[in-house]
Amino acid sequence: MGKITGFMEYDRIEEGYPPAAERVKHYKEFVIGISDAQAKVQGARCMDCGTPFCVSGCPVNNIIPDFNDLVYQSDWKSAFTVLDSTNNFPEFTGRICPAPCEAACVLNINDDAVGIKSIEHAIIDRAWEHGWVTPKVPAHKTGKRIAVVGAGPAGMAAAQQLARVGHDVTLFEKNDRIGGLLRYGIPDFKLDKVHIDKRVAQMQAEGVVFRTGVFVGSAQNGLGKDSKVTNWAKETITPEQLRKDFDAVLLTGGSEQSRDLPVPGRDLAGIHFAMEFLPQQNKINAGDKLKGQIRADGKHVIVIGGGDTGSDCVGTSNRHGAASVTQFEVMPMPPEVENRPLTWPYWPIKLRTSSSHDEGCTREFAISTKEFTGEKGKVKGLTTVQVEFKDGKLTEVEGTQKHYPADLVLLAMGFVNPVAAVLDAFGLEKDGRGNVRASTEEGGYATNVPGVFAAGDIRRGQSLVVWAIREGRQAARSVDQFLMGSSELPR
C-alpha cells in the first residue's frame, strides 16, 4: 500500500473528452487518458483492503491492489506484468468495460471508487509504447491441433492461451476480419481497430493461424450474405470435417440473434437491427466500399433499446448528421444515484449517461412501441404508449399514446441466443435460452459432443467483453487438460 491516507486526501479523477461538437466530426477514439501523475494519485487512493472486493468483482480477477500500488510507486513495467498475468487484452477492457471492479471497490461504499479502469488503460498504453508487449512463443510443441471457432474476445483469448502452451491452434472466423463484436459491433470512436490488429500480429508470432471468411456449419444451413447477422463468409467447413482434422474444437461464437419487435408495420423499409447498421460504418472506416449503406443523414432516428448497443447507434447516427436522435427504453428511468449500502458490491441500477448521449439525444423511459407507420412502403413514424409495472407485470398506461416521426428505426434490444444452425450442425444440446449447454466446473466447458467445447456468449448468452475473456481463458485450460491430462494454464 503506497500511501496509507491517500483515499482520504485525493479525489477520483475521470478521463476526459474533447467537446462534443469536435468529436462528432470523426470516428477516431477521443477519450483523453489520465497522465502519469494522475494515475499515481489514483493508485494512492487504493486502500489495499483486507478483502479486495474489486478482484472478485472483476470477471478475470485482475490483481488490482497490486498494480494500483505499483503505479503509485511509478513501477509501470511491474504493473504491466501483474495486469498481463490475468488479462490477455487490457487495451479492450480499459476502453470499453463498464468496470464492475469499480462498483465493487470498498471505497465505493461511501465515496467515489478508485479509477481502476483508467489506471488499467494507462498501464497497457504505456506497455505498448515501451515495447513490453511481446509474443510468448512456446519452448516445445505438443503436436496437438485445436480449432477455435469464432474470433471475438473469447476465441482470441482461448487461442492465445492454447498456443502459448505449445498447441497448434487455428482460429476460424466467418467475417472478413478478426475481432467479432470488437471489430464490427463497437464503433471505432470507442475502440480503434488498430488495437485488435496489434494483438493479431502478436498471436501470429505465437503460432496462431487465422482463417477468415470461413463459416463452420452445414452448407445448407449457412448464414448467407443476405442474413440479418453480419457475415461475409466465402467458405463453409462442416463440423464433421473440423472434428476429423483437429484433436479438439472450441466454439466461441457470439449470441448473434437480435431480439426483434414484431408489431404492425415491422416490414416497412427503414427499420433495421443495430447489427445491420453498426458494422457497415466500421467497414467504411476500414476503407471498404459498400453499396446501399444504411445512413442517418438528415433523418429523424429512433433507437429502440436503452443499453450500450443503443448508445453506439446514437453516436454513429450523430456522426452521420441525423436531424434528431431519440432513444427508447421500456424500463422506467433509474435513479441518478444508486443506493450504495443496498447494492454494493454488486452492479447497481442507476442512470448512466454515455458520451454518445452527450453528443445529442432525447431519451424516453417507460415507453413501448405499438406500431410503425409509413408511406409507400417506407417507415415515417411510430406510435408509442407509456408503460408501468403493476402486480409484477408491465402494463400500458391508458391515454398515453403518442406519435413520433421516424425516417430510420434501429432495433437495439439485445441478443437472444446464438445462431441455431451452427449448434444443430454439431448436434449440441441447448439450455432453456437456446445457448450451448456446457458446465463451467473443473474440466468444464465441455459439450455433449466428445472433444467439442464452448465458451463465451455462445454458452453464457449476451454478456461483457471481460466475461468473454474470462471464459476463453478458462476453456483453454479445460481443452489443454482434455488433451494432455493436466494443465499449467490458470483456472
Side-chain angles (χ1 to χ4, degrees), residues 298-346:
K299 296 177 180 176
H300 296 290
V301 180
I302 302 286
V303 178
I304 301 179
D308 289 339
T309 304
S311 173
D312 294 343
C313 290
V314 169
T316 302
S317 296
N318 279 324
R319 281 161 178 76
H320 282 187
S324 68
V325 182
T326 305
Q327 186 177 22
F328 290 171
E329 169 55 60
V330 72
M331 301 299 290
M333 183 175 174
E336 291 192 19
V337 179
E338 73 272 32
N339 185 336
R340 294 183 182 181
L342 180 66
T343 60
W344 181 90
Y346 302 108

Side-chain angles (χ1 to χ4, degrees), residues 49 51-58 100-101 104-106 344-345:
C49 311
T51 302
F53 283 85
C54 57
V55 176
S56 56
C58 171
C101 56
C105 174
V106 173
W344 181 90

Side-chain angles (χ1 to χ4, degrees), residues 110-127:
N110 62 353
D111 200 348
D112 293 328
V114 175
I116 301 167
K117 179 179 172 180
S118 60
I119 293 173
E120 180 178 326
H121 187 177
I123 292 170
I124 188 59
D125 280 7
R126 191 181 183 96

Side-chain angles (χ1 to χ4, degrees), residues 205-245:
E206 293 170 338
V208 178
V209 174
F210 293 92
R211 291 188 59 185
T212 57
V214 179
F215 172 71
V216 176
S218 58
Q220 64 268 31
N221 290 327
L223 295 177
K225 294 185 182 296
D226 59 346
S227 168
K228 296 295 184 184
V229 179
T230 305
N231 179 42
W232 291 279
K234 297 178 181 178
E235 178 186 354
T236 297
I237 294 180
T238 64
E240 294 76 18
Q241 186 64 46
L242 209 63
R243 295 183 65 202
K244 178 182 175 183
D245 294 343

Side-chain angles (χ1 to χ4, degrees), residues 82 151 166 254 298 320 471:
V82 171
H320 282 187
E471 294 224 341

Side-chain angles (χ1 to χ4, degrees), residues 250-313:
L250 173 58
L251 304 178
T252 54
S255 181
E256 297 183 281
Q257 290 293 115
S258 299
R259 182 173 284 107
D260 208 344
L261 186 59
V263 299
R266 172 63 180 89
D267 57 346
L268 290 167
I271 303 171
H272 302 275
F273 289 120
M275 284 305 296
E276 295 176 85
F277 175 68
L278 295 171
Q280 290 188 350
Q281 187 58 57
N282 286 6
K283 285 184 70 66
I284 293 292
N285 294 346
D288 294 353
K289 303 292 183 183
L290 287 184
K291 291 183 179 179
Q293 182 192 2
I294 303 167
R295 298 282 308 182
D297 314 62
K299 296 177 180 176
H300 296 290
V301 180
I302 302 286
V303 178
I304 301 179
D308 289 339
T309 304
S311 173
D312 294 343
C313 290

